[in-house]
Amino acid sequence: MLAALRGLHSGLTGGLPVLASLAAARRLPRSGQGPAQARRFVAATLGGWDLAGLADDAMLIITELALNAIEHGRSCFTVSLARAAGGVRIAVGDGSPAPPRRGGGPQPSRAGGLDVVDAFAAGWGHDVLPGGKLVWADLPTAEGGRR
């Protein structure tokens, strides 16, 4: 699955990074409503692809990525999804080129964060791109298997 998802990066939506071979993308505000809007968008997209079985894991992942974009990216953010053989890639783009980090920093990290993404995704990473960065996570479909 991961090989099928490589090379999906990157395009721009409103100056922020998105997956290049995306099937769905949305630009969302840097506000308390952003994560809820991201969850609704991801759930609707997965439902439209007959992949509602991925929704629980996807909701946990998108919430963490959206919160990180708001807190650390300090910008509005994009959510994009791409479907490939064996899986779905979910990505969040923000206006900061700073790579995502687990914990550390000047303030203790809130519970969850990238550890949640790591626990529920088959793989995740980031790419620094023009306009910011794209943090992505891969979810396998039933035929794609789990890591």
Side-chain angles (χ1 to χ4, degrees):
M1 174 189 80
L2 294 177
L5 291 168
R6 293 194 203 297
L8 293 177
H9 306 153
S10 163
L12 294 173
T13 294
L16 295 174
V18 296
L19 295 171
S21 58
L22 61 95
R26 186 81 27 103
R27 183 181 169 116
L28 298 170
R30 180 184 181 211
S31 74
Q33 299 301 313
Q37 292 173 353
R39 285 190 298 274
R40 286 191 296 272
F41 173 67
V42 169
T45 301
L46 292 174
W49 292 345
D50 292 324
L51 294 174
L54 297 179
D56 289 344
D57 290 354
M59 294 306 99
L60 292 168
I61 290 169
I62 196 62
T63 298
E64 295 302 330
L65 295 181
L67 288 170
N68 284 346
I70 291 168
E71 182 178 347
H72 303 293
R74 302 188 191 282
S75 69
C76 53
F77 63 99
T78 59
V79 175
S80 51
L81 291 94
R83 191 172 181 178
V88 172
R89 177 161 285 181
I90 300 170
V92 170
D94 65 48
S96 170
R101 296 184 337 189
R102 291 184 186 200
Q107 297 178 343
S109 179
R110 63 186 164 72
L114 293 173
D115 290 330
V116 170
V117 175
D118 190 53
F120 288 92
W124 69 275
H126 78 283
D127 298 299
V128 176
L129 303 161
K133 72 175 165 300
L134 194 66
V135 183
W136 50 266
D138 295 330
L139 283 174
T141 54
E143 68 274 9
R146 191 154 182 131
R147 67 175 169 155

